Amino acid sequence: MSLSNNLTTGGLRRTLACCAVTLVLGGGIAGAGAAEPESLFPAPVYVTLQAGNAVESMPSGKTWGGVASAHYDAISRDGKYLLASSKDRPEAYLLDAHSGKKLATYDIGPTPQGVAISPDGRWGMAVSAGNGTVAVIDMTTRKLVKSIAVGKVPHNIRFIADSKLAYVTLQGGTGVAVVDVQSLKKIDEIPVPGIHGPHNLDLSADEKTLWVRDLVGKVAVVDIPSRKELAVIPVGLGHAGIDVIPGGRYVFTGAIADHVVDVIDPTTFKVVKRIDVGQGPHGVRASRDGRWVYVGVTGTDKVAVIDSRSLDVVKQISTDGKLPFWLTVVGND
């Protein structure tokens, strides 16, 4: 009887101990899903959830709905304002980046695509691929002030650091339009003949080199002063974002019809590693210190975090909605 009681008591203790471990582990997992370690996020990252009609802020885990088919987004340099486009409506939205409150809605024209906010905070721009235009928003008055004709099927925008010029990819053509931000007019076009459908773009730190990702699996490198195409680099299938990470050590690009992120050495124009992140990586942007690279993986509804030193995936974070398409990072947009 005594032995039976001892065994029963011991079994109960083991059961309670196992339950306690399960509760601790369960709480840890839930906590990780709610908020990620700040060490992976030196500054906030805003992810468009295209099938979720929302934008998610990481690492806080806050999600703001009411952003119809959220497509592209851009954060102001001071981190106060977020500009986002809709995939299915002819609209762009200005949001308070802290509260998620919608401050304005703009009719920019059919087939909205990329958006951008000038580094000086003066102008917002939103592409209408259907109209062949870029809509210009006065960020002070929050009014739409002009549409600039830039060329056939424009797609995305990149300002230079002093906000005086903006480059716009022409997916329906073979080049990149140059917009003078002071006159708000297209003043030039840079040919990029080695790729099919200039899609997304970034600039080197010295702003002398254009990196242009196309629709089908190539990256073109163009010297802006000479207009010389320096290289055409095969990468993963389909289209994607591209980022010359802060510090300039590597260029990262995704591949929405593939499962890899390609890492390019900007001095040799060679792919030094292909990182498997899951099916459909599209948006790609590094942290402001260049340490972490965030990738929206559309097929798995996750954001992959890559260590730019080891070139390994260190975290896969489930998003609070479907189809994480694009992302913007405070301090690197």
Side-chain angles (χ1 to χ4, degrees):
M1 186 70 175
S2 175
L3 178 60
S4 176
N5 284 339
N6 286 340
L7 286 173
T8 302
T9 301
L12 180 59
R13 286 172 179 166
R14 284 192 296 273
T15 301
L16 289 172
C18 288
C19 289
V21 170
T22 301
L23 286 170
V24 170
L25 288 176
I29 291 169
E36 294 303 319
E38 290 185 4
S39 59
L40 294 180
F41 295 89
V45 177
Y46 297 89
V47 186
T48 59
L49 305 175
Q50 190 168 287
N53 302 307
V55 175
E56 182 173 354
S57 172
M58 292 185 174
S60 71
K62 294 177 181 177
T63 302
W64 304 319
V67 185
S69 56
H71 195 38
Y72 282 85
D73 63 348
I75 189 72
S76 60
R77 178 162 287 187
D78 60 10
K80 292 181 178 180
Y81 301 106
L82 187 75
L83 190 61
S85 64
S86 170
K87 177 181 177 292
D88 298 321
R89 297 183 185 179
E91 295 175 342
Y93 313 102
L94 182 65
L95 284 76
D96 181 301
H98 299 298
S99 67
K101 180 182 178 181
K102 192 180 291 183
L103 303 174
T105 298
Y106 305 102
D107 185 349
I108 64 169
T111 321
Q113 297 292 348
V115 292
I117 299 174
S118 61
D120 63 7
R122 180 72 176 86
W123 302 105
M125 289 189 176
V127 167
S128 166
N131 278 348
T133 57
V134 171
V136 182
I137 299 160
D138 184 324
M139 294 293 289
T140 303
T141 64
R142 300 178 185 170
K143 301 294 184 182
L144 184 63
V145 296
K146 188 174 183 178
S147 288
I148 305 170
V150 290
K152 190 176 180 181
V153 195
H155 191 79
N156 213 344
I157 310 158
R158 180 65 56 199
F159 282 95
I160 65 173
D162 66 6
S163 303
K164 292 181 179 179
L165 295 176
Y167 295 98
V168 183
T169 51
L170 301 176
Q171 190 171 283
T174 58
V176 174
V178 184
V179 173
D180 178 85
V181 180
Q182 293 176 308
S183 64
L184 297 180
K185 294 179 180 179
K186 177 183 175 181
I187 58 170
D188 203 355
E189 189 171 316
I190 300 172
V192 190
I195 60 174
H196 177 72
H199 185 68
N200 286 312
L201 75 164
D202 203 8
L203 287 162
S204 60
D206 64 6
E207 300 184 331
K208 293 182 179 179
T209 308
L210 270 175
W211 291 80
V212 186
R213 180 65 159 90
D214 77 351
L215 279 172
V216 298
K218 291 181 181 178
V219 169
V221 189
V222 179
D223 178 73
I224 296 173
S226 69
R227 307 299 182 91
K228 181 181 179 181
E229 195 169 60
L230 303 176
V232 175
I233 306 162
V235 291
L237 300 175
H239 55 80
I242 186 166
D243 188 25
V244 181
I245 69 170
R249 184 179 182 186
Y250 294 119
V251 179
F252 282 72
T253 187
I256 200 166
D258 213 322
H259 54 89
V260 296
V261 169
D262 285 287
V263 184
I264 303 168
D265 184 327
T267 61
T268 64
F269 306 134
K270 302 293 185 184
V271 173
V272 297
K273 189 169 183 180
R274 309 194 85 190
I275 305 169
D276 192 332
V277 297
Q279 186 60 43
H282 188 263
V284 177
R285 211 75 194 152
S287 58
R288 62 186 180 189
D289 60 3
R291 175 64 193 278
W292 311 107
V293 179
Y294 312 105
V295 184
V297 188
T298 61
T300 63
D301 300 324
K302 292 181 179 180
V303 169
V305 183
I306 298 169
D307 185 333
S308 70
R309 297 176 185 173
S310 67
L311 301 183
D312 293 323
V313 176
V314 297
K315 192 81 175 178
Q316 291 273 9
I317 305 168
S318 295
T319 54
D320 189 24
K322 300 289 186 180
L323 218 163
F325 185 78
W326 195 252
L327 38 81
T328 182
V329 179
V330 175
N332 181 34
D333 189 82

